[in-house]
Amino acid sequence: MRWARSAPPGDRPASPRQSPGERRTRVLSPDTWREVRRLRARGMPIKQIARHKQMAPNTVRRLLRCEQPPRYQRPERPSVAAPFEPLILQLLRDEPGMSAAGIARRINWPASASLLRFHVARLRSASPQAEYQPEQKQGFGSAVLRDFLPGWAECGLWWPPAELDVGHGQTRQCPVLLMVAGASQYLGACLLPSARFRNVWIGQRHLLQEWGAVPHTLRWDTSGIDFPWAWHFEKEGWDISWNTYVARAELDDLAVQDRGLPLTGLAAARRRLRQSSSASPVPAAPLTFAAGLASWVQETNAATRPAPTRWTEERAAMRAPATVPQLLATRCQGRAVPDTDGYIAVAGNHYLVGPWGARRSLTVELSETEVTIRSSGYHTGGFHVVIYARSWATGIHHTLPQSHTVTGLGSSRSREEAGP
């Protein structure tokens, strides 16, 4: 039996361990190709070249057979838009002015909106049948206010002069989200714990559920709203930001604008509420102020000039909630890992999580009144859901949840646990 000769262990160069996928995708350099051919031209055997270059003999033979140096060639892959191009061209031929958001809804576009806009623009210019004539948008794209169709709304914040007692001995000014129907001047208002955009979206979602309709055009006054920086948004891992809000509204064929025409209805609503409210010497609780706010809103709606039937007609011109799945399905949730003491920092407070969540990435969801912490998988006996009452105060460590349920693996029954 002939034993293959190998270099002593001390003479072998140390190389990192490679996975099978890395070995398959390894591309030899042109210098290695030249060195192998030079050694073979000098008469060195193939197996000796393989030991010298730390490669397989078959690799040496393959390099000797190649007339050109090896070069990496990326395999061609079809574009994600290739299967959808016939459908897009057909839609552009039928309706040349259809927007990219409308096309995405028709074809169930699976990728990003910006990628679809790029391919739609490319197909518009390449297709002579689809002569694109941009449609005159009713709303933000129009310079004439009378061109607005019924069913749009103005949104923005109003800061009451009174401070509120948010608990734990803390008082501060809390904003109010206002949403005014454009034609009827019907007003909706929701008290917010802070001006952070995630709270603004929670408040607007509450107002949309109260109205039972979604305006086709949302005109925003973003002054006073706290938008987190990009690095802060990515660090916390939350899935709601202004860009996400606008993108999902576009997928539902809604128009969102934060600059342009004056917001006369919003300014009038702020003025009426300023006249109705007054600064109280004693800070009121949020629930007490919210009750007073509801009565002020009713008085404001009763004092508006248009008849009540005007609001019913405008509400009928709005979109039904079932036709706006992307926007209304947006939740204010993110991912967080408990610290060494077992607390998760959410909305300025700290909420205790039991040993089941130690060193794990958990899902946290904010609502108007609750903070829900869920396990991302099977952790310590089941799937855990811990619900805390949301506190408007900041810097507080909460240790007593409202409920803690655990669902076993493969079971539909859940059991209650004591503590977090």
Side-chain angles (χ1 to χ4, degrees), residues 277-298:
S277 64
S278 59
S280 174
V282 180
L287 291 178
T288 305
F289 185 85
L293 177 64
S295 63
W296 299 337
V297 169
Q298 290 179 359

Side-chain angles (χ1 to χ4, degrees), residues 183-185 301-311:
S184 63
Q185 299 295 301
N301 290 331
T304 52
R305 295 180 180 178
T309 55
R310 187 78 176 271
W311 159 241

Side-chain angles (χ1 to χ4, degrees), residues 78-102:
S79 172
V80 68
F84 299 94
E85 286 189 3
L87 298 176
I88 296 174
L89 289 173
Q90 182 63 35
L91 291 174
L92 291 178
R93 281 192 293 267
D94 296 341
E95 299 181 30
M98 182 178 293
S99 63

Side-chain angles (χ1 to χ4, degrees), residues 401 404 416-420:
H404 179 189
E416 293 287 339
E417 293 283 342

Side-chain angles (χ1 to χ4, degrees), residues 149-292:
L149 296 175
W152 54 278
E154 299 176 359
C155 312
L157 297 183
W158 170 62
W159 293 86
E163 289 189 346
L164 302 183
D165 182 7
V166 295
H168 299 275
Q170 300 181 15
T171 60
R172 70 166 181 269
Q173 232 179 342
C174 295
V176 175
L177 174 65
L178 303 180
M179 194 161 64
V180 185
S184 63
Q185 299 295 301
Y186 186 84
L187 174 63
C190 180
L191 183 64
L192 306 179
S194 70
R196 203 66 179 265
F197 180 69
R198 63 177 69 139
N199 296 320
V200 174
W201 163 240
I202 292 175
Q204 188 183 39
R205 192 169 182 271
H206 173 76
L207 293 178
L208 294 176
Q209 290 175 348
E210 281 188 352
W211 284 10
V214 181
H216 59 73
T217 303
L218 297 167
R219 302 174 58 200
W220 275 92
D221 176 14
T222 57
S223 60
I225 300 179
D226 182 13
F227 297 102
W229 294 94
W231 65 269
H232 189 70
F233 170 73
E234 294 175 357
K235 178 182 178 182
E236 290 191 347
W238 292 87
D239 67 346
I240 178 65
S241 65
W242 176 256
N243 293 336
T244 305
Y245 172 81
V246 174
R248 297 197 176 184
E250 289 180 353
L251 288 177
D252 288 328
D253 205 13
L254 301 177
V256 178
Q257 179 70 2
D258 58 346
R259 61 180 63 88
L261 297 173
L263 306 179
T264 55
L266 187 61
R270 288 170 176 166
R271 184 170 58 254
R272 296 192 192 101
L273 290 177
R274 196 179 303 113
Q275 295 172 356
S276 303
S277 64
S278 59
S280 174
V282 180
L287 291 178
T288 305
F289 185 85

Side-chain angles (χ1 to χ4, degrees), residues 7-75:
D11 297 340
R12 297 176 184 175
S15 60
R17 190 180 186 88
Q18 293 180 339
S19 64
E22 292 176 345
R23 289 195 293 268
R24 285 195 299 268
T25 58
R26 179 186 175 190
V27 177
L28 299 175
S29 65
D31 295 337
T32 303
W33 174 78
R34 297 188 186 94
E35 180 69 13
V36 168
R37 296 178 70 88
R38 184 181 62 83
L39 295 176
R40 183 58 176 169
R42 290 184 177 181
M44 183 178 292
I46 291 180
K47 291 187 177 180
Q48 189 174 354
I49 296 175
R51 288 193 298 269
H52 177 69
K53 302 299 293 181
Q54 293 293 319
M55 61 179 61
N58 287 337
T59 304
V60 176
R61 296 185 181 96
R62 178 167 55 86
L63 292 176
L64 294 175
R65 287 194 299 266
C66 293
E67 299 296 335
Q68 299 293 333
R71 182 169 57 91
Y72 174 72
Q73 293 181 351
R74 186 174 182 178

